[in-house]
Amino acid sequence: MLLRDLAREFLADRLHQEAHYTIERLQQHGGPPIQWLESDSLASEVFHHLYVLRVGDQVSSSHPDRLPLLSPYLGESKAEVLEIQWQGRKQLIYREALTVEGQQGVLLIGEDFAQVESGLDALHWWVGAIAGALLVLLILLNLIAVNRSLRPLAFLQWQLAEIQSGQRERLGLDAPSELDSLITQLNHFMNELQQRLLRSREAVANLSHTLQTPLAAVTQVLRGSRPIDEQRRHRMLERMEGMQAQLASELRRARFAGPVTGQRANVTDEAEMLIDMMRSLYPTKRFGLQVSLSTNHNIAIERHDLNEMLGIVLDNGGKWSRERVLCHVYQDQDLVIDVEDDGKGVDSSALSELGQRGKRLDESTPGHGLGLAILKQIVAQYRGRVTFSSPSGRGFQVRIVLPC
């Protein structure tokens, strides 16, 4: 269509120019040159195939046999390009009004457009053939490009199969840059799974090592014939409580979800819920909450892990405070959770010992020295950090920093 329109516009423009040239010649000679209108004239053969001229009531044509077809177009003087059919062939006619010796007239100049269309048809076939060849070539190149682009995925699939069969531990990074992030995430995911497996094995080993001797001792006492006096009963009770604490600790560690779960928690909602719970557990203490976040602020952390972190520090504050525990949650590049109480605090020399498994600095309050150790493990899973501080005479503060 584009080529046809371009050819039509080009031919119409040429007819328009030659119509003006013919009209000028007619006006210069003072009348129609009859030799121009003869079908075997040089002008008719060189320039166009058809001339029709009407001046007043006189009509002349280079092809009289076409006058019946063209006569209706001689009655109007509007300049325009016409398309008519003559014996199955398309004719392009340009019409132009003129004035010769005071008489109004109309000039029609036409050319056989069928010849142009036949040339266009041949051009269309060539264009179609070239376009088809280019399309086939592009499809082949595209298949080659896709095949080469998928090779890294096939290599990645091969590496995953090796990991599944135990021949490989991690994915190699020899891949296009577009896959670096994917491989890094997969390796990180496998690291997390391995850490969970190590935690589970460590928990089983700890339970086996810690519970085996106390259970054997309790079983021996219960099977023996010696009466159980108050002192032995007290020792058995201490051992049972120690086993119960160890079981609770390992179960809490086993519940760690870690950052690969893809879950998010609302910090404000969870903090408010835990503060209400602590107020009911410690009715004589005042728990305050200050949140400098939007109400719908979410963080990429599993909800139970967040509750565990907040619960440990708030519960410690309830145990060791005199009257007040304050929890402040805000964002300073990272998410920061500050929990401080007005208790007697901890000596600066002993702060480094906090968070060690089973380490208790004060035996006056019930506990097993596992809470802060579990807190540090959970925070480490999310690549955060925990710091302890105790200003002299001003209580104890725990700061948890979690990357957003």
Side-chain angles (χ1 to χ4, degrees), residues 82-101:
L82 306 171
E83 290 186 8
I84 62 174
Q85 294 289 335
W86 171 256
Q87 296 180 353
R89 298 173 66 87
K90 185 178 296 185
Q91 306 288 319
L92 194 65
I93 307 294
Y94 180 77
R95 179 173 61 192
E96 181 74 27
L98 56 88
T99 303
V100 178
E101 296 180 348

Side-chain angles (χ1 to χ4, degrees), residues 173-185:
L173 292 177
D174 186 14
S177 59
E178 291 81 3
L179 297 179
D180 287 347
S181 178
L182 172 63
I183 294 176
T184 302
Q185 291 295 329

Side-chain angles (χ1 to χ4, degrees), residues 183 196 377 381:
I183 294 176
R196 289 190 186 184
Q377 291 176 1
Q381 286 290 313

Side-chain angles (χ1 to χ4, degrees), residues 240-287:
M240 296 297 292
E241 288 178 348
M243 288 189 292
Q244 183 179 6
Q246 185 70 21
L247 281 171
S249 171
E250 298 302 336
L251 289 176
R252 290 169 74 179
R253 292 181 62 202
R255 289 197 297 266
F256 295 171
V260 296
T261 59
Q263 300 184 23
R264 303 183 70 86
N266 188 298
V267 182
T268 304
D269 293 343
E270 302 303 325
E272 291 177 350
M273 181 189 67
L274 287 172
I275 288 292
D276 291 339
M277 183 185 301
M278 292 300 161
R279 287 169 179 166
S280 61
L281 290 176
Y282 301 96
T284 60
K285 308 293 178 66
R286 291 185 291 109
F287 285 84

Side-chain angles (χ1 to χ4, degrees), residues 168-333:
R168 178 185 291 268
E169 293 185 357
R170 294 293 180 271
L171 296 173
L173 292 177
D174 186 14
S177 59
E178 291 81 3
L179 297 179
D180 287 347
S181 178
L182 172 63
I183 294 176
T184 302
Q185 291 295 329
L186 287 175
N187 284 333
H188 176 65
F189 180 71
M190 287 186 287
N191 288 335
E192 293 292 339
L193 291 180
Q194 186 176 18
Q195 289 181 8
R196 289 190 186 184
L197 178 61
L198 291 176
R199 281 205 310 267
S200 300
R201 290 177 175 174
E202 183 182 354
V204 173
N206 290 340
L207 289 176
S208 175
H209 176 74
T210 305
L211 302 182
Q212 187 174 4
T213 301
L215 283 176
V218 172
T219 302
Q220 184 178 2
V221 171
L222 293 176
R223 286 180 177 178
S225 58
R226 291 177 56 187
I228 302 177
D229 54 19
E230 185 65 22
Q231 184 179 2
R232 298 184 67 188
R233 188 185 69 81
H234 183 69
R235 288 201 301 267
M236 289 177 58
L237 182 60
E238 287 182 348
R239 290 189 174 185
M240 296 297 292
E241 288 178 348
M243 288 189 292
Q244 183 179 6
Q246 185 70 21
L247 281 171
S249 171
E250 298 302 336
L251 289 176
R252 290 169 74 179
R253 292 181 62 202
R255 289 197 297 266
F256 295 171
V260 296
T261 59
Q263 300 184 23
R264 303 183 70 86
N266 188 298
V267 182
T268 304
D269 293 343
E270 302 303 325
E272 291 177 350
M273 181 189 67
L274 287 172
I275 288 292
D276 291 339
M277 183 185 301
M278 292 300 161
R279 287 169 179 166
S280 61
L281 290 176
Y282 301 96
T284 60
K285 308 293 178 66
R286 291 185 291 109
F287 285 84
L289 175 62
Q290 182 180 355
V291 179
S292 302
L293 301 172
S294 59
T295 55
N296 58 349
H297 184 87
N298 293 329
I299 185 173
I301 184 173
E302 200 268 336
R303 180 172 174 269
H304 180 272
D305 291 351
L306 178 61
N307 287 339
E308 192 75 18
M309 285 188 284
L310 290 174
I312 289 173
V313 292
L314 290 175
D315 184 58
N316 277 353
K319 287 179 181 179
W320 300 105
S321 64
R322 294 187 180 95
E323 297 180 353
R324 178 184 59 83
V325 179
L326 176 62
C327 177
H328 184 200
V329 183
Y330 61 96
Q331 184 170 354
D332 182 14
Q333 294 184 348

